[in-house]
């Protein structure tokens, strides 16, 4: 059973930084891609950043230049370094992964979410 466990959310002042982590575990054969999405109250869930095998990254325009996504391949962990945070970044952040397992083949998985709150 694949699990994605996130950590690193919290409360920070505008202009500050946070680093989110998401560790995948449970019968993993390979990870095709990992990423972060976020959902603010009353809004739809939106892409923040993704990283694919080979290190190819993609960012939402709203975070490009401020956020950096990276992966630790041996640890099956993805990170999101968030700098120059502003109140508009306040949201629940969700880890997402496209994973191949021997039993399920290729499937998409979500973490439970971690709250990021940026005060002005």
């Amino acid at each position: 059973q694949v699990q994605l466990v996130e950590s690193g959310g919290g409360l920070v002042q505008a202009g500050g930084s946070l680093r989110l982590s998401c560790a995948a575990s449970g019968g993993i054969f390979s990870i095709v891609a990992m990423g972060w999405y976020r959902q603010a109250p009353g809004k739809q869930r939106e892409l923040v950043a993704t990283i694919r095998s080979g290190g190819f990254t993609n960012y939402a325009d709203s975070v490009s230049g401020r956020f950096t996504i990276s992966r630790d391949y041996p640890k099956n962990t993805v990170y999101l370094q968030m700098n120059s945070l502003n109140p508009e970044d306040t949201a629940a952040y969700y880890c997402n992964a496209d994973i191949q397992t021997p039993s399920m083949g290729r499937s998409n998985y979500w973490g439970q979410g971690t709250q990021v709150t940026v005060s002005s």
Side-chain angles (χ1 to χ4, degrees), residues 43-112:
K43 295 187 176 181
Q44 289 188 332
R45 190 171 297 189
E46 63 177 6
L47 170 74
V48 177
T50 60
I51 183 166
R52 303 185 61 83
S53 298
F56 299 102
T57 59
N58 180 52
Y59 295 93
D61 289 344
S62 59
V63 307
S64 183
R66 299 187 298 123
F67 291 10
T68 302
I69 190 169
S70 61
R71 259 182 75 178
D72 184 325
Y73 288 83
K75 294 183 178 180
N76 289 335
T77 299
V78 64
Y79 304 97
L80 186 68
Q81 178 66 43
M82 305 185 292
N83 298 328
S84 302
L85 285 161
N86 58 61
E88 289 70 38
D89 296 316
T90 295
Y93 283 69
Y94 295 90
C95 179
N96 180 269
D98 208 7
I99 295 175
Q100 287 185 317
T101 64
S103 59
M104 297 294 292
R106 181 173 172 174
S107 298
N108 191 259
Y109 299 88
W110 290 95
Q112 80 284 358

Side-chain angles (χ1 to χ4, degrees), residues 7 9 16 21 23 28 30-31 35 38 47 51 65 68 73-74 93 105 114 120:
S7 61
S21 300
I28 296 171
S30 68
I31 299 179
R38 67 186 181 186
L47 170 74
I51 183 166
T68 302
Y73 288 83
Y93 283 69
T114 185
S120 58

